[in-house]
Amino acid sequence: MAAPSQVELCNLALTSLGVGPVGSLEESSRAARLCRLHYHTARREVLEAHHWSFATARAVLARLDTAPRFGFARAYALPSDCLAARRLEPEAPFEPTSLGLETDASPARLVYTLDVTDPARFPALFRRALAAYLASLLASPLTHSAELEAQARGRYEALLEAARESDAAEGLHRPRDDNPWLEARW
């Protein structure tokens, strides 16, 4: 099976609205133009909506020569692929700014949401949530239907919640039901 692509994700969104699929995002159809316009922003917004395990990265930040505006001792540059600063390791207060990040920590080890662009790296539920969100953005300009837009938004919210739950449960160890040590206790 081929890895999912941007076109496939856009086609999931389009077909959920009753709009025909596109062969390429470069074609001149209205649907393709709107997908080009909304896809990357929608992807970033869904990535920022949760601290996804597949999009988590860590970096030691480079210190900036500029002094922090107020309240912190140091200013650092954020990685170019950072969508959202999540926390410092070890835990320390920080404030994102237009130039980067300010904190008292030295060095600043940031855990952040990575701007994942390759759809092949997206888990299945994330892909479905992204397609539903994209459908909610495309519904009005393509169908002129507030009802379809609301339905797509509802699907997105439900799928986003399911994707968050799946992501949060990833890697959790659950004891087997047939564990003899547990059975002996009962």
Side-chain angles (χ1 to χ4, degrees), residues 28 30 35 85 87 91 107 111 124 150 163 184:
S28 62
R30 180 169 170 75
C35 285
R87 69 176 187 276
E91 290 288 330
V111 177

Side-chain angles (χ1 to χ4, degrees), residues 67-117:
R69 292 178 300 188
F70 60 91
F72 290 107
R74 295 167 190 85
Y76 295 94
L78 289 172
S80 61
D81 59 1
C82 176
L83 284 181
R86 299 300 181 174
R87 69 176 187 276
L88 292 175
E89 291 179 338
E91 290 288 330
F94 68 91
E95 183 175 332
T97 69
S98 60
L99 298 176
L101 180 138
E102 295 178 357
T103 184
D104 290 330
S106 180
R109 293 181 179 93
L110 181 68
V111 177
Y112 66 97
T113 297
L114 178 69
D115 187 7
V116 179
T117 58

Side-chain angles (χ1 to χ4, degrees), residues 14-36:
L14 293 169
T15 57
S16 74
L17 298 172
V19 176
V22 296
S24 164
L25 296 185
E26 302 310 313
E27 66 185 47
S28 62
S29 68
R30 180 169 170 75
R33 285 193 312 272
L34 287 166
C35 285
R36 277 195 314 270

Side-chain angles (χ1 to χ4, degrees), residues 46-56 113 126 160 163-164 167:
V46 179
L47 281 167
E48 290 176 5
H50 176 72
H51 187 51
W52 305 102
S53 59
F54 78 92
T56 296
T113 297
F126 179 90
L160 179 65
R164 284 176 171 160
D167 186 68

